[in-house]
């Protein structure tokens, strides 16, 4: 793979491969047909995950403990040639091993069968009634050449013959990948539905697809349709948590909606505002690139969405308004992606057509005219601003298009800057009530087969804001407060399936690259070699037994007599080089290929020969079979990684954001909560109005002395009654110096505390408030205060997580408190006290804690 998978992507790939392995076994052993789906929000990297799956399918993957399928053939199907081409390009971009194995089935395709180790791309249009692929090639007219090369028997086969030959070949396994699986499985397009279902179910003499794998952001229609198929086993669906996608930084955090607040025609007004926003975004990205010393700044794009049949007058007015507001815009900077695929001439202004998938790289295009067709199978991370001139009734088209614009330009969150992590949408023909409906659709996306396919990937962490206020560091807050904030501890949230040895190797590579630890890879491997040497002596008896297992194959011979029973006799055979190699490969899955290879070199030495090399491979194979040794090496790898991350914490803050993002990823690969640094926010934004159920609006109340504030020093608060009581009470305390509303989403500006659910899964608690004041010596100190309902199911696990955090980091806070209301009284638990933490560990309910003697009145 050319890309490093995010944690959630690796987990999804592992689950998909598990399903494919089971599906292959069921098919070849019992002839069972199967299907399952991969569901992930737009922007999650579904094609990248698919590339990793296919690469493992063809070549195997030690990390996922997956053996290659030598007979694997992948048929990638979608309902659009453009979508097919986009998917093919992304697979090629993501997986280096697939470069020469991606083939588009054209009408000239004439091979009798699909070849193993290849991905074939096919779309609905090529299977229409009049397609040559379906009906074969008619006899050419005199003087014309054949498109197909005839077979020796002069019989031309159709694509269905090719599929039949592939499925009926017992040495092959045909995996049918249905891209954007929610399309083509509904009832709106009968021809498309018939084609897809015939491919999956088989028809006439064409056999059904052995394994069907659907990929989409909304696969409910696909799954519902598959339930109607007889004799096909449904394997567990692979569902990617949208909160994990949002936390990864691949998706923009905020969608900002701008709409008129009075009646009138404001399309040109908001169009000019859109131009101002994209120009401001351009300046912000240029400043960021200069700060980070990046040569290629992000080039923001303005998307102007018009109706399906825009008039010449509308298009002329649109371009005139844009050029008046942006006079330096080049004549070649405007393009269109209209469904007609034609170049336009608008008032003598050429507006060429550009293929949607080319927009991202065509950075000379700064303004893109679109209708609604662009909403499917396309995305453009540099699209920062959208102004839609469509009427309010077309809200679904708008949400679809916004779903194409939510990827972050650099595939990572920009730390401390909420403006660069947002996308703007201006709706001149919408009122507030209708726009609120758009906001709701954006937040949740389509949830059932009966709803429109919004495909926007709503989920935890996403905000939809109406005309928010920009926030900047509050000049009224002392620098000592900011220094205190920057020094506070936050912790990582442990992940499933973490491999400490691989993490250490990746960390060592990064530290060497950034010159933070000299020869880090050599030092890391030398450290682990010493562990292997020591544990080999400690567990000598077990290693000897494992070595014997590597060198021999044990078996049993059963001999039966007619009319009598069986006699059994054990036997042993010496393992051949192939068997030893397989045992060595098994060890690499446990100890990692890099460590195994370097340890072999360590054992052989510079003067070693082939016999020494074989002996070293046998030793590694034996060590990998002793669980205690693997556990010891993983523990030492974890410890060394933690030590280096702590040692380089300050030095890493001077690295560019791109490099810091890599260390964020490595820090996140932890088996236990580990300390990380908070990022000081630079630019933020907040909603200023509250909307009631009946649609009425009123300004949010504000407070002073928040670390981030508007120009007038205020901060809008959206708090419940408990939270307001806590905030106002703390602000009245002597020595009060400021406060911070801890963001509820996964960002580097949010202080996180890890806690374990009853299921054993690690989650993040993000306390509501950090307050700053002075102690008796005049030094600025921090207080962590979290109002939290004791009636909630996660109340006790969160308290235990907070107690564990306080146990370790209480010296860096003056107070760590949890507040709740019970019996009409606000009660507080002070977690800096040992007996309170012990009571939390022993408690049966959270409510009982607040009502007991360990709590006090707030």
């Amino acid at each position: 793979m050319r890309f490093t998978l995010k944690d959630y992507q690796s987990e999804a790939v592992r689950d998909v491969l598990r399903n494919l392995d089971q599906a292959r076994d069921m098919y070849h052993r019992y002839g069972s047909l199967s299907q399952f789906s991969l569901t992930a929000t737009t922007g999650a990297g579904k094609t990248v995950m698919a590339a990793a799956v296919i690469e493992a399918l063809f070549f195997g993957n030690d990390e996922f403990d997956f053996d290659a399928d030598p007979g694997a053939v992948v048929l990638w199907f979608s309902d659009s040639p453009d979508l097919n081409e986009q998917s093919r390009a992304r697979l090629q971009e993501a997986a280096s091993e697939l470069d020469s194995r991606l083939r588009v089935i054209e009408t000239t395709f004439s091979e009798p069968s699909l070849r193993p180790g290849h991905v074939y791309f096919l779309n609905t249009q090529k299977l229409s009634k009049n397609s040559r692929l379906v009906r074969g090639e008619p006899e050419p007219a005199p003087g014309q050449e054949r498109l197909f090369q005839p077979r020796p028997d002069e019989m031309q086969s159709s694509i269905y013959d090719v599929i039949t030959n592939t499925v009926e070949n017992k040495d092959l396994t045909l995996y049918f990948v249905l891209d954007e699986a929610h399309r083509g499985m509904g009832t709106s397009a009968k021809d498309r539905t018939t084609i897809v279902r015939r491919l999956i179910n088989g028809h006439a003499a064409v056999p059904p697809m052995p394994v069907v794998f659907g990929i989409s952001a909304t696969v409910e229609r696909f799954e519902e349709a598959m339930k109607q198929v007889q004799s096909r086993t449904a394997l567990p669906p692979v569902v990617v948590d949208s909160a994990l996608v949002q936390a990864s930084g691949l998706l923009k955090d905020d969608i900002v909606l701008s709409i008129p607040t009075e009646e009138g025609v404001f399309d040109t007004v908001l169009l000019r505002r859109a131009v101002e926003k994209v120009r401001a975004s351009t300046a912000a990205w240029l400043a960021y690139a200069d700060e980070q010393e990046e040569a290629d700044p992000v080039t923001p794009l303005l998307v102007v969405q018009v109706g399906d049949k825009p008039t010449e007058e509308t298009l002329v007015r649109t371009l005139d308004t844009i050029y008046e507001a942006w006079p330096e815009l080049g004549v070649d900077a405007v393009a269109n992606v209209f469904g007609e695929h034609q170049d336009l001439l608008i008032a003598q202004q050429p507006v060429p057509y550009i293929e949607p998938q080319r927009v991202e790289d065509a950075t000379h295009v700064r303004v893109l005219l679109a209708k609604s067709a662009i909403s499917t199978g396309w995305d453009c991370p540099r699209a920062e601003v959208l102004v839609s001139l469509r009427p309010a009734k077309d809200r679904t088209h708008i949400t679809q298009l916004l779903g194409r614009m939510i990827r972050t330009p650099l595939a990572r969150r920009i730390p401390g800057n909420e403006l660069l992590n947002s996308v703007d949408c201006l709706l001149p023909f919408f009122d507030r009530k209708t726009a609120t409906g758009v906001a709701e659709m954006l937040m949740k996306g389509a949830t059932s087969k009966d709803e429109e396919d919004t495909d926007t990937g709503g989920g935890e962490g996403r905000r939809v804001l109406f005309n928010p206020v920009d926030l900047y560091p509050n000049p009224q807050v002392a620098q000592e407060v900011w220094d205190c904030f920057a020094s506070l501890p936050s912790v990582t949230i442990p992940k499933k399936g973490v491999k400490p040895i691989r993490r250490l190797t990746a960390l060592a590579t990064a530290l060497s690259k950034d010159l933070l630890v000299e020869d880090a890879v050599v030092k890391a491997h030398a450290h682990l070699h010493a562990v292997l040497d020591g544990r080999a002596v400690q567990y000598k008896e077990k290693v000897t037994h494992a070595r014997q297992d590597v060198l021999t194959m044990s078996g049993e011979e059963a001999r039966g007599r007619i009319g009598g029973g069986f006699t059994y006799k054990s036997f042993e055979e010496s393992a051949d080089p192939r068997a030893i190699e397989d045992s060595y490969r098994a060890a690499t899955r446990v100890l990692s290929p890099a460590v195994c290879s370097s340890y072999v070199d360590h054992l052989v030495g510079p003067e070693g020969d082939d016999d020494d090399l074989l002996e070293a491979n046998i030793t590694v194979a034996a060590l990998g079979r002793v669980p205690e040794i693997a556990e010891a090496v993983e523990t030492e790898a974890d410890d060394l990684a933690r030590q280096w991350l702590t040692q380089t914490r300050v030095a890493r803050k001077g690295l560019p954001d791109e490099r810091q993002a890599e260390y964020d990823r490595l820090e996140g690969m932890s088996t236990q909560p580990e300390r990380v640094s908070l990022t000081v926010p630079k630019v933020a934004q907040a909603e200023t109005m509250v909307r009631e159920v009946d649609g009425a609006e009123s300004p949010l109340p504000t407070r002073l002395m928040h670390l981030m504030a508007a120009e007038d020093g205020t901060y809008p608060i959206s708090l419940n009654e408990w939270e307001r009581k806590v905030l106002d009470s703390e602000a009245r305390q002597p020595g009060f110096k400021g406060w911070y509303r801890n963001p509820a989403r996964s960002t580097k500006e949010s202080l996180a505390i890890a806690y374990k659910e009853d299921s054993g899964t690690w989650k993040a608690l993000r306390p509501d408030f950090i307050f700053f004041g002075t102690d008796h010596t005049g030094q600025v100190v921090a207080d962590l205060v979290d109002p939290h309902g004791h009636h909630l199911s996660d109340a006790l696990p969160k308290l235990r997580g907070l107690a564990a955090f306080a146990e370790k980091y209480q010296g860096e806070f003056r107070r760590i408190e949890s507040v709740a209301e019970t019996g009409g009284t606000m009660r507080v638990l002070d977690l800096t006290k040992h007996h309170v933490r012990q009571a939390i560990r022993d408690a049966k309910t959270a409510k009982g804690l607040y009502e007991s003697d360990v709590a006090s009145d707030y």
Side-chain angles (χ1 to χ4, degrees):
M1 288 289 292
R2 291 188 173 100
F3 299 146
T4 300
L5 297 178
K6 302 285 187 180
D7 292 337
Y8 71 84
Q9 292 173 333
S10 292
E11 195 64 30
V13 168
R14 182 176 285 104
D15 292 341
V16 169
L17 290 174
R18 187 182 300 117
N19 276 357
L20 292 179
D21 189 47
Q22 183 179 348
R24 174 180 61 189
D25 183 68
M26 290 165 51
Y27 178 67
H28 286 291
R29 187 176 300 205
Y30 308 110
S32 297
L33 308 176
S34 59
Q35 62 87 8
F36 70 97
S37 59
L38 168 64
T39 307
T41 182
T42 298
K46 292 183 289 292
T47 312
V48 171
M49 290 184 263
V53 166
I54 294 171
E55 198 172 63
L57 202 58
F58 290 170
F59 305 104
N61 188 292
D62 290 335
E63 181 178 352
F64 297 120
D65 195 14
F66 185 84
D67 293 324
D69 177 2
V73 182
V74 174
L75 180 58
W76 187 287
F77 190 84
S78 77
D79 78 332
S80 161
D82 289 342
L83 185 56
N84 253 5
E85 175 55 30
Q86 178 176 284
S87 298
R88 187 201 64 78
R90 283 186 178 170
L91 288 175
Q92 186 173 40
E93 180 186 19
S96 55
E97 297 287 350
L98 299 181
D99 279 351
S100 61
R101 297 171 179 268
L102 307 175
R103 299 188 58 186
V104 177
I105 296 180
E106 304 289 2
T107 55
T108 55
F109 189 84
S110 61
E111 298 177 19
S113 176
L114 303 180
R115 297 180 182 179
H118 286 76
V119 183
Y120 293 87
F121 294 87
L122 189 61
N123 58 72
T124 311
Q125 289 79 357
K126 290 178 180 175
L127 296 183
S128 62
K129 295 178 182 178
N130 297 321
S131 169
R132 286 195 178 95
L133 286 174
V134 172
R135 59 187 172 87
E137 183 186 24
E139 194 65 31
Q144 289 186 340
E145 294 183 4
R146 279 185 178 272
L147 290 175
F148 287 95
Q149 293 299 317
R151 296 193 331 212
D153 57 8
E154 293 297 325
M155 292 295 292
Q156 178 58 54
S157 62
S158 75
I159 188 62
Y160 291 115
D161 297 320
V162 176
I163 290 173
T164 299
N165 294 339
T166 305
V167 174
E168 291 182 346
N169 187 334
K170 302 301 182 185
D171 294 327
L172 302 179
T173 311
L174 182 57
Y175 300 89
F176 183 72
V177 178
L178 186 57
D179 191 15
E180 298 292 348
H182 58 289
R183 300 178 59 83
M185 298 305 294
T187 56
S188 58
K190 291 185 177 179
D191 289 343
R192 183 175 66 205
T193 302
T194 300
I195 289 171
V196 174
R197 287 184 173 170
R198 279 185 174 180
L199 277 172
I200 291 174
N201 301 335
H203 67 284
V206 182
M209 292 291 168
V211 182
V212 177
F213 172 26
I215 304 176
S216 181
T218 50
V219 296
E220 288 81 6
R221 289 191 192 125
F222 165 77
E223 292 182 344
E224 189 65 28
M226 296 308 296
K227 290 178 183 177
Q228 302 169 17
V229 178
Q230 301 296 318
S231 304
R232 188 176 287 273
T233 301
L235 297 175
V238 179
V239 180
V240 176
D241 186 346
S242 62
L244 296 179
V245 182
Q246 194 69 42
S248 73
L250 285 180
L251 304 184
K252 291 169 182 168
D253 290 328
D254 298 331
I255 297 175
V256 180
L257 299 182
S258 297
I259 58 173
T261 56
E262 57 185 277
E263 293 186 1
V265 179
F266 301 105
D267 53 334
T268 54
V269 174
L270 286 188
L271 188 55
R272 282 195 294 270
R273 180 177 171 85
V275 172
E276 291 172 4
K277 282 181 173 288
V278 79
R279 296 182 71 180
S281 177
T282 301
W285 280 111
L286 282 171
Y288 179 74
D290 184 59
E291 172 194 318
Q292 298 292 308
E293 299 182 354
E294 292 180 356
D296 297 315
V298 172
T299 306
L301 177 75
L302 167 63
V303 180
V304 181
Q305 188 182 38
V306 299
D308 290 336
K309 296 179 180 179
T311 65
E312 179 75 12
E313 179 186 359
T314 296
L315 294 177
V316 170
R317 185 172 63 248
T318 298
L319 284 192
D320 285 349
T321 302
I322 290 172
Y323 274 98
E324 285 173 9
W326 202 348
E328 65 270 27
L329 191 67
V331 294
D332 64 341
V334 184
N336 84 85
V337 284
F338 291 171
E340 293 80 7
H341 293 201
Q342 295 177 355
D343 295 341
L344 303 177
L345 188 64
I346 303 173
Q348 305 306 310
Q349 164 75 48
V351 180
Y353 170 78
I354 184 172
E355 295 172 330
Q357 62 269 22
R358 290 185 49 234
V359 175
E360 174 65 15
D361 295 325
T363 53
H364 67 281
V365 175
R366 303 301 309 278
V367 178
L368 189 69
L369 302 183
K371 295 182 182 179
S372 61
I374 195 173
S375 64
T376 299
W378 170 86
D379 58 67
C380 184
R382 69 183 183 91
E384 297 271 293
V385 182
L386 163 69
V387 57
S388 180
L389 304 180
R390 298 184 72 96
K393 65 181 180 181
D394 286 347
R395 70 182 196 175
T396 300
H397 289 305
I398 293 166
T399 55
Q400 286 176 331
L401 182 50
L402 273 171
R404 302 288 118 200
M405 299 173 62
I406 60 175
R407 293 178 189 259
T408 49
L410 301 178
R412 57 180 170 82
R413 182 179 285 110
I414 305 303
N417 195 323
E418 291 185 352
L419 295 185
L420 292 184
N421 296 320
S422 65
V423 58
D424 279 277
C425 177
L426 298 93
L427 307 174
F429 298 117
F430 275 56
D431 57 25
R432 178 73 68 148
K433 183 176 180 181
T434 310
T436 301
V438 171
E440 291 173 351
M441 295 176 74
L442 290 170
M443 292 302 293
K444 69 178 183 178
T447 56
S448 76
K449 63 184 178 64
D450 298 321
E451 294 182 10
E452 292 286 354
D453 169 30
T454 59
D455 198 23
T456 58
E460 184 181 337
R462 175 79 52 75
R463 293 188 303 177
V464 178
L465 307 172
F466 290 87
N467 296 319
V469 63
D470 292 343
L471 307 172
Y472 298 93
N474 190 340
Q476 299 301 313
V477 173
Q479 182 60 44
E480 292 83 1
V481 171
W482 285 107
D483 294 341
C484 180
F485 176 89
S487 69
L488 294 178
S490 182
V491 299
T492 60
I493 311 304
K495 307 291 194 306
K496 292 191 298 183
V498 171
K499 296 182 179 294
I501 301 172
R502 293 176 186 270
R503 178 202 191 194
L504 175 61
T505 299
L507 174 62
T509 302
L511 293 171
S512 291
K513 179 178 180 179
D514 294 319
L515 306 178
L516 297 180
V517 176
E518 187 178 356
D519 295 327
V521 176
V522 174
K523 290 177 179 176
H525 285 191
H527 182 77
L528 298 185
H529 296 166
V531 176
L532 287 167
D533 288 341
R535 294 302 188 272
V537 175
Q538 182 179 352
Y539 298 103
K540 182 177 181 181
E541 187 175 331
K542 290 185 176 182
V543 172
T544 301
H545 181 73
R547 178 185 172 85
Q548 186 66 19
D549 287 343
V550 171
L551 293 174
T552 59
M553 184 209 75
S554 299
E556 193 171 60
E557 180 181 270
R559 176 172 298 181
R561 295 181 178 180
I562 297 176
F566 283 86
T567 59
Y568 298 90
K569 182 180 179 182
S570 298
F571 69 90
E572 286 189 349
E573 293 286 346
S574 297
D576 60 14
R578 184 178 178 184
I580 293 172
E581 181 183 355
D582 185 66
S583 295
Y584 174 83
R585 284 190 61 221
T588 65
R589 297 189 187 112
V590 177
L591 301 172
S592 87
V595 170
C596 286
S597 177
S598 63
Y599 190 61
V600 166
D601 293 340
H602 166 72
L603 293 175
V604 172
E607 305 297 328
D609 55 22
D610 288 346
D611 289 340
D612 296 326
L613 182 63
L614 176 61
E615 180 64 25
N617 278 289
I618 293 170
T619 298
V620 169
L623 294 175
R625 291 183 177 224
V626 181
E628 292 86 350
I629 293 179
E631 184 178 342
V633 175
E634 287 192 341
T635 299
E636 290 289 340
D638 219 14
D639 290 345
L640 183 57
R642 191 179 303 112
Q643 175 187 328
W644 276 350
L645 285 169
T646 301
Q647 174 186 324
T648 60
R649 178 167 290 116
V650 175
R652 285 187 281 117
K653 287 188 175 183
L655 295 174
D657 287 349
E658 182 180 13
R659 294 304 303 155
Q660 291 197 48
E662 171 65 8
Y663 290 103
D664 292 342
R665 183 184 73 84
L666 292 168
E667 283 180 324
M669 295 169 60
S670 59
T671 57
Q672 295 294 321
E674 294 179 9
R675 179 173 182 153
V676 292
S677 299
L678 281 172
T679 292
V680 174
K682 301 172 185 175
V683 185
Q685 50 190 350
E687 188 60 276
T688 58
M689 305 291 287
V690 60
R691 286 171 298 282
E692 307 297 342
V693 177
D694 61 1
E697 294 182 355
S698 58
L700 283 169
T702 61
R703 295 293 187 272
L704 299 173
M705 295 304 293
H706 188 271
L707 270 62
M708 302 295 290
E711 286 186 7
D712 62 358
T714 63
Y715 178 85
I717 60 169
S718 178
L719 305 174
N720 62 35
E721 184 180 356
W722 292 2
E723 292 166 342
R724 283 199 302 273
K725 285 181 179 179
V726 168
L727 172 57
D728 292 340
S729 173
E730 295 291 334
R732 292 192 297 267
Q733 297 302 313
F736 175 73
K737 291 292 185 181
W739 65 286
Y740 183 67
R741 179 70 158 103
N742 196 39
R745 56 189 178 186
S746 177
T747 68
K748 293 181 69 175
E749 303 87 58
S750 175
L751 190 152
I753 293 171
Y755 73 95
K756 256 188 184 180
E757 293 182 320
D758 293 337
S759 64
T761 302
W762 286 98
K763 293 285 187 178
L765 160 65
R766 301 183 185 278
D768 286 333
F769 298 114
I770 307 173
F771 297 105
F772 298 90
T774 54
D775 62 12
H776 65 281
T777 67
Q779 182 177 351
V780 172
V781 291
D783 298 324
L784 201 61
V785 183
D786 185 39
H788 190 72
H790 57 66
H791 60 286
L792 300 174
S793 60
D794 62 359
L796 191 56
K798 283 185 173 179
L799 278 175
R800 287 176 176 153
L802 192 58
F805 180 85
E807 185 86 46
K808 191 167 186 178
Y809 299 110
Q810 59 180 303
E812 303 191 44
F813 296 88
R814 179 173 58 180
R815 291 182 293 143
I816 300 178
E817 297 181 344
S818 181
V819 181
E821 186 177 64
T822 180
T825 302
M826 297 289 285
R827 301 277 286 173
V828 60
L829 293 168
D830 182 355
L831 286 91
T832 61
K833 296 178 179 178
H834 174 76
H835 74 279
V836 174
R837 296 194 298 271
Q838 187 59 49
I840 290 173
R841 286 190 282 265
D842 297 337
K844 301 297 183 184
T845 67
K847 182 180 180 182
L849 283 166
Y850 289 104
E851 294 176 344
S852 71
D853 292 340
V854 298
S856 57
D857 289 344
Y858 179 70

